[in-house]
Amino acid sequence: MKILVIEDEPNVAAFIKRGLQEQTYEVEVAYDGNMGKKLALQNEYQVIVMDVILPHLSGLDLCRQLRQEQLRTPILLLTALGTTDDVVDGLEAGADDYLPKPFKFRELVARVRALARRAEPQPAGNLLRLSDLTMNLDTKEVTRASKDINLTAREFALLEYFLKKQGKVLSRVDLLENVWDLNFDLGSNVVDVYVNYLRNKIDKDFPVKLLHTVVGMGYMLREPESA
């Protein structure tokens, strides 16, 4: 598996590269945002790990620009800014996950593995449907009423889980455990943030809503009720 690390602190970059290589990953390093963008668009990586604070082009701006280029590679942000607002800014920029500094290296590896696993091709013939919403697990394409819907890797994983559990109320804890594969701080609103992202993409421009909030319990993806 090939990973791009974008980190301007040489010691930190060397630490991450050495550790990931010990896990048998192939690693390339960029030391500023512009070089990171160039490598990300020229080569194929399974995961991109980047710092938020970078020379020339910040991690947030880089995320936005890569997503504007339709690059869907999962992005893990490393940030010393750990407030909820900082995390939300990163997610809104197009990142799929975040890891506050300082971090334990085994947690970094777990996040990388989780993102890479979500991006792996699925067995042939996998289609998930609900009403006019269709997800193709082979091509990673999502459509609703024949309109293409572009999702990040994390949004895709969240919608996939909703589709597989359609008609069931899913709590925030359930979503954290099954979509993120990690024990997040339950005080974080990361689930709510991503559900809102997903709702804006699959429901906002359509008259019939599929993703519903069940007050005090969680969320549900279900067929529209008959008139």
Side-chain angles (χ1 to χ4, degrees), residues 141-166:
E141 294 174 327
V142 176
T143 62
R144 183 164 183 194
S146 300
K147 178 181 177 181
D148 291 335
I149 298 174
N150 293 320
L151 302 178
T152 66
R154 184 67 66 186
E155 291 166 350
F156 189 95
L158 181 59
L159 180 57
E160 179 183 352
Y161 190 68
F162 270 124
L163 282 166
K164 288 179 176 178
K165 299 291 184 178
Q166 57 186 268

Side-chain angles (χ1 to χ4, degrees), residues 170-188:
L170 303 177
S171 69
R172 290 171 179 80
V173 173
D174 189 16
L175 293 171
L176 285 171
E177 291 178 348
N178 289 281
V179 176
W180 274 261
D181 296 326
L182 297 162
N183 294 319
F184 269 63
D185 178 6
L186 296 183
S188 170

Side-chain angles (χ1 to χ4, degrees), residues 6-7 22 24 36 39 61 72 81 96 105 112 116 121 124 130 132 135 155 167 181 189 193 196 207 224:
I6 310 173
E7 169 61 65
E22 290 175 357
T24 72
L39 289 175
D61 288 336
R72 297 186 180 184
L81 309 174
D96 298 283
F105 188 76
V112 168
L130 176 66
D132 56 355
M135 170 179 280
E155 291 166 350
D181 296 326
N189 66 346
V193 168
N196 285 333

Side-chain angles (χ1 to χ4, degrees), residues 20-37:
L20 290 175
Q21 286 177 330
E22 290 175 357
Q23 298 293 320
T24 72
Y25 298 130
E26 182 180 350
V27 182
E28 288 192 73
V29 176
Y31 296 98
D32 64 68
N34 287 338
M35 180 56 69
K37 180 179 179 180

Side-chain angles (χ1 to χ4, degrees), residues 46-111:
Q46 279 64 55
V47 178
I48 297 173
V49 179
M50 71 170 73
D51 196 5
V52 170
I53 301 174
L54 294 169
H56 308 310
L57 184 65
S58 75
L60 297 185
D61 288 336
L62 178 53
C63 277
R64 293 188 187 97
Q65 293 184 20
L66 292 178
R67 295 314 185 205
Q68 288 170 0
E69 294 286 344
Q70 303 302 311
L71 186 75
R72 297 186 180 184
T73 306
I75 295 174
L76 172 63
L77 279 182
L78 305 178
T79 174
L81 309 174
T83 69
T84 297
D85 287 343
D86 295 319
V87 170
V88 170
D89 287 343
L91 300 178
E92 288 181 341
D96 298 283
D97 203 352
Y98 70 96
L99 184 59
K101 290 182 175 181
F103 54 83
K104 294 181 179 179
F105 188 76
R106 64 181 181 181
E107 186 172 6
L108 173 67
V109 172
R111 302 288 181 101

